[in-house]
């Protein structure tokens, strides 16, 4: 299987010049899992940065079907949120959908997977979606700082006609309370809606858009869950806030990790929180009948895990980690019932030298530009595979398949002298890259990758890899001069030899780039 994938990787390299795109199906998600829904029958619906929605059997983990939407360049088509109507007729999909700012919502017939219509009103990325308990309304939260309320009683009757070029979908009610990106929307009941945003505020609204109450926190807020009695929210801090349904703060849960994603069990008793922590990545469960004391910790994930749900009142689901796996597990014993994962692995380290490249699949957080050991090597001409062992590499150097031994394999990483990173940006990530020679700083945001995971020099240019497949090239003044489009997952490593750049990503692929076109000028 590894040799087949490597051959496909080499074919990808050969096709890059013609702008062809080759997608490898590993049998699982190949990028960050952003959302999970459980159907009435017990099926699991998952949505990912890999631009796919997959439906899994919770009994054996088998994939039952896929719902495919937009497959565009770079971030175009990434799915950040899904919502299923209470009668399971409609599946709403949001993210970086369509061109421009990724502002549209796709509405599918869930049973058939057929696209019914596209909802157009937002002017930026859609980060969250929720249906009201009676199915009458769909709420959407966006990077344009607004919340939209869509009347499904009108959309439902017009959707098929609209898809055939008939009646247009009516415009939604727009709520303009927030001043920064809206990351969370949830209905408390059929008459009220709650929203949270990067302006540190959570707010309660009537369905006419009237503000009923609000609360300002000292951290950015993103995720929301409710069981009809309690509203829970969390964001960039290490705590979960608990409110009553009138949005009066009741208490706080302190966490050893940064909670990411929230969901209540079907009976409303248990609250599950995903995780963004380093070095531990604990998914925790809290019991509302014990004053929200922590009663379970699941520690099998090895990286960001933000998609969480309950299969039933005793079984949790969590999706994330280095290899984008989904675990189904018992909340009392933490025993794994089912694991859903593809055959691929995240690429944490890369190196290159001449026609040979190397990579590793073992994570190491000790250095931004050296996140793990090189394990395997590959020759782009001969397609021969080798193994990197300690300070020795056994590999095919060229078509004659000779073997050589060199210090550290002789593979180059990337020079980052004079560059350093610091925390900042909307999420407090490593979003700031400091250039010592010019005194300039480059701050990433949601459209440019959120953080500088790996970086270094190419001639007088700076290359930086971040989240959501964003691989950017800047000049020393911090001006973006090129965007290398191809990855869909977080970019963890880059290496350079001459004009050849190699990048490795959590999307489980290695990509090879020719930078020679940057000579004598800048290209976009």
């Amino acid at each position: 299987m590894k040799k087949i994938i490597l051959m496909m990787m080499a074919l990808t390299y050969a096709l890059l010049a013609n702008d062809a795109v080759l997608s490898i199906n590993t049998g699982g998600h190949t990028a960050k899992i952003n959302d999970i829904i459980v159907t009435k029958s017990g099926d699991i619906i998952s949505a990912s940065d890999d631009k796919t929605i997959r439906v899994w059997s919770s009994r054996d983990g088998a994939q039952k079907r896929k719902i495919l939407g937009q497959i565009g360049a770079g971030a175009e088509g990434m799915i950040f949120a899904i919502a299923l109507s209470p009668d399971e007729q409609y599946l709403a999909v949001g993210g970086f959908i369509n061109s421009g700012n990724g502002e549209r919502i796709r509405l599918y017939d869930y049973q058939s997977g057929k696209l019914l219509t596209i909802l157009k009103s937002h002017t930026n990325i859609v980060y969250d979606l929720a249906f009201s308990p009676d199915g009458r309304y769909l709420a959407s939260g966006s990077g344009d700082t607004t919340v939209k309320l869509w009347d499904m009683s009108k959309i439902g009757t017009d959707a098929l006609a609209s898809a055939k070029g008939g009646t247009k979908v009516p415009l939604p009610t727009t709520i303009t309370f927030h001043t920064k990106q809206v990351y969370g929307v949830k209905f408390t009941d059929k008459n009220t809606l709650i929203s949270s945003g990067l302006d540190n505020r959570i707010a309660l609204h009537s369905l006419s858009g009237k503000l009923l109450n609000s609360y300002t926190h000292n951290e950015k807020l993103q995720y929301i869950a409710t069981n009809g009695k309690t509203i829970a929210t969390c964001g960039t801090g290490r705590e979960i806030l608990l409110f009553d349904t009138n949005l009066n703060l009741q208490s706080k849960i302190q966490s050893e990790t940064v909670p990411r994603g929230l969901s209540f069990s079907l009976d409303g008793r248990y609250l599950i929180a995903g995780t963004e922590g380093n070095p531990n990545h604990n998914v925790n469960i809290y019991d509302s009948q014990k004053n929200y004391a922590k009663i379970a910790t699941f520690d099998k994930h090895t990286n960001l895990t933000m998609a969480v749900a309950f299969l039933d009142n005793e079984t949790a689901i969590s999706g994330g980690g280095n290899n984008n796996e989904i675990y189904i597990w018992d909340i009392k014993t933490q025993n794994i019932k089912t694991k859903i994962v593809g055959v691929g692995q995240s690429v944490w380290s890369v190196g290159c030298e001449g026609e040979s490249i190397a990579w590793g699949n073992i994570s190491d957080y000790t250095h931004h530009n050296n996140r793990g050991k090189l394990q395997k090597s590959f020759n782009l001409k001969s397609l021969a595979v080798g193994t990197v062992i300690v300070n020795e590499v056994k590999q095919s150097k060229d078509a004659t398949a000779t073997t050589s031994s060199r210090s550290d394999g002789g593979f180059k990483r990337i020079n980052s002298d004079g560059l350093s990173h610091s925390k900042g940006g909307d999420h407090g990530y490593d979003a700031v890259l400091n250039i010592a020679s010019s005194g300039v700083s480059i701050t990433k945001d949601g459209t440019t990758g959120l953080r500088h995971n790996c970086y270094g020099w190419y001639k007088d240019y700076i290359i930086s890899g971040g989240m959501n497949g964003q691989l950017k090239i800047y000049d020393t003044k911090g001006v973006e001069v090129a965007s290398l489009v191809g990855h869909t997952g977080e970019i963890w490593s880059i290496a350079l030899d001459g004009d050849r750049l190699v990048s490795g990503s959590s999307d489980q692929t290695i990509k090879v780039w020719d930078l020679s076109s940057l000579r004598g000028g800048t290209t976009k």
Side-chain angles (χ1 to χ4, degrees):
M1 179 61 71
K2 289 183 178 178
K3 290 184 177 181
I4 293 173
I5 292 175
L6 283 169
M7 291 178 66
M8 288 184 172
M9 180 189 68
L11 182 57
T12 302
Y13 165 74
L15 291 173
L16 281 175
N18 297 320
D19 294 325
V21 176
L22 179 66
S23 178
I24 301 172
N25 183 10
T26 67
H29 282 299
T30 58
K32 177 164 57 74
I33 301 171
N34 292 311
D35 211 349
I36 281 178
I37 293 173
V38 178
T39 69
K40 294 175 182 177
S41 64
D43 286 343
I44 298 169
I45 311 171
S46 58
S48 168
D49 277 357
D50 67 11
K51 309 177 186 182
T52 69
I53 297 168
R54 298 172 186 254
V55 181
W56 313 91
S57 166
S58 61
R59 296 175 181 84
D60 56 12
Q63 180 176 294
K64 301 179 76 170
R65 60 191 175 109
K66 287 194 291 187
I67 299 175
L68 301 177
Q70 179 185 8
I71 304 293
E76 292 178 16
M78 288 184 178
I79 301 167
F80 298 157
I82 52 176
L84 187 64
S85 60
D87 62 2
E88 300 190 350
Q89 180 179 1
Y90 300 114
L91 180 70
V93 178
F96 203 104
I97 307 297
N98 291 83
S99 58
N101 293 319
E103 67 279 4
R104 297 177 182 178
I105 300 167
R106 299 170 76 90
L107 190 66
Y108 292 88
D109 179 279
Y110 172 65
Q111 300 303 326
S112 68
K114 180 180 180 179
L115 178 65
L116 297 178
T117 193
I118 296 176
L119 307 182
K120 306 174 186 179
S121 182
H122 283 295
T123 58
N124 209 307
I125 296 169
V126 174
Y127 287 111
D128 200 15
L129 294 162
F131 279 99
S132 59
D134 60 1
R136 170 72 185 272
Y137 294 98
L138 171 68
S140 53
S142 169
D144 64 13
T145 77
T146 70
V147 176
K148 304 280 185 180
L149 272 174
W150 307 83
D151 189 337
M152 293 300 297
S153 66
K154 297 178 181 178
I155 293 175
T157 58
D158 292 344
L160 289 173
S162 177
K164 296 176 181 178
T167 307
K168 292 184 178 180
V169 174
L171 290 176
T173 299
T174 300
I175 299 173
T176 58
F177 170 78
H178 291 281
T179 58
K180 290 188 177 181
Q181 298 98 312
V182 178
Y183 266 75
V185 289
K186 194 73 66 178
F187 288 88
T188 58
D189 55 38
K190 67 178 182 179
N191 296 314
T192 54
L193 171 72
I194 200 155
S195 61
S196 60
L198 298 190
D199 57 2
N200 297 26
R201 296 192 292 178
I202 184 169
L204 186 68
H205 315 272
S206 71
L207 298 191
S208 65
K210 179 182 177 181
L211 178 66
L212 301 177
N213 199 2
S214 67
Y215 177 89
T216 302
H217 189 40
N218 58 4
E219 298 276 1
K220 297 174 176 64
L221 296 174
Q222 294 171 275
Y223 307 96
I224 304 172
T226 181
N227 61 0
K229 296 179 180 179
T230 300
I231 298 167
T233 185
C234 64
T236 57
R238 292 179 178 266
E239 59 186 2
I240 301 169
L241 309 183
L242 301 174
F243 300 85
D244 64 20
T245 54
N246 292 317
L247 205 59
N248 298 308
L249 183 64
Q250 301 296 297
S251 61
K252 299 179 182 180
I253 300 172
Q254 301 302 317
S255 174
E256 76 279 16
T257 72
V258 177
R260 313 297 286 177
L262 296 171
S263 184
F264 275 100
S265 57
L266 304 181
D267 62 3
R269 176 173 177 175
Y270 300 111
L271 174 68
I272 185 172
T275 177
E276 179 183 355
N278 186 14
N280 68 64
H281 298 277
N282 296 336
V283 176
N284 293 323
I285 292 182
Y286 306 90
D287 189 343
S288 66
Q289 294 185 9
K290 297 181 179 180
N291 199 28
Y292 285 95
K294 183 168 64 176
I295 55 98
T297 292
F298 184 76
D299 61 1
K300 298 301 185 293
H301 290 288
T302 54
N303 210 319
L304 171 68
T305 303
M306 56 191 296
V308 290
F310 284 90
L311 180 63
D312 54 47
N313 294 324
E314 298 180 349
T315 308
I317 304 171
S318 51
N322 285 338
N323 297 316
N324 314 301
E325 65 273 3
I326 299 173
Y327 286 108
I328 304 173
W329 48 280
D330 187 289
I331 67 172
K332 293 182 179 179
T333 65
Q334 292 82 64
N335 290 335
I336 298 169
K337 295 184 176 182
T338 306
K339 180 180 179 180
I340 302 170
V341 66
V343 297
Q345 291 181 297
S346 292
V347 180
W348 285 91
S349 57
V350 291
C352 61
E353 194 274 331
E355 295 298 330
S356 294
I357 64 174
W359 74 95
N361 303 114
I362 300 175
S363 62
D364 181 352
Y365 291 93
T366 56
H367 195 280
H368 262 48
N369 295 306
N370 186 6
R371 291 185 180 269
K373 296 180 180 180
L374 299 176
Q375 299 171 283
K376 297 288 184 180
S377 65
F378 183 69
N379 188 281
L380 296 169
K381 283 189 175 179
S382 67
L383 307 185
V385 182
T387 301
V388 180
I389 305 174
V390 190
N391 288 326
E392 180 183 58
V393 60
K394 295 180 179 179
Q395 68 165 56
S396 298
K397 290 290 295 171
D398 50 39
T400 62
T402 59
T403 299
S404 66
S405 177
R406 298 163 296 165
S407 176
D408 196 27
F411 289 103
K412 298 179 178 68
R413 302 284 183 123
I414 194 166
N415 174 29
S416 60
D417 292 346
L419 301 174
S420 63
H421 62 273
S422 56
K423 295 189 181 300
D426 287 335
H427 298 267
Y429 294 152
D430 296 323
V432 182
L433 184 64
N434 306 299
I435 309 170
S437 61
S438 64
V440 171
S441 295
I442 303 169
T443 302
K444 284 186 175 289
D445 58 22
T447 64
T448 56
L450 287 171
R451 56 190 177 196
H452 298 276
N453 284 329
C454 48
Y455 49 82
W457 293 98
Y458 168 66
K459 302 184 184 302
D460 293 327
Y461 301 106
I462 298 158
I463 305 171
S464 174
M467 296 179 69
N468 299 331
Q470 297 289 343
L471 185 57
K472 301 288 187 180
I473 302 180
Y474 305 90
D475 64 21
T476 54
K477 295 180 181 179
V479 177
E480 181 185 322
V481 299
S483 181
L484 306 182
V485 177
H487 283 297
T488 57
E490 194 152 6
I491 298 171
W492 290 119
S493 54
I494 53 177
L496 184 72
D497 185 17
D499 294 326
R500 176 172 289 158
L501 176 72
V502 179
S503 56
S505 168
S506 64
D507 65 13
Q508 306 175 3
T509 69
I510 299 166
K511 296 192 183 295
V512 183
W513 312 86
D514 179 6
L515 303 184
S516 60
S517 61
L518 283 175
R519 291 174 178 171
T522 61
T523 58
K524 193 72 171 175

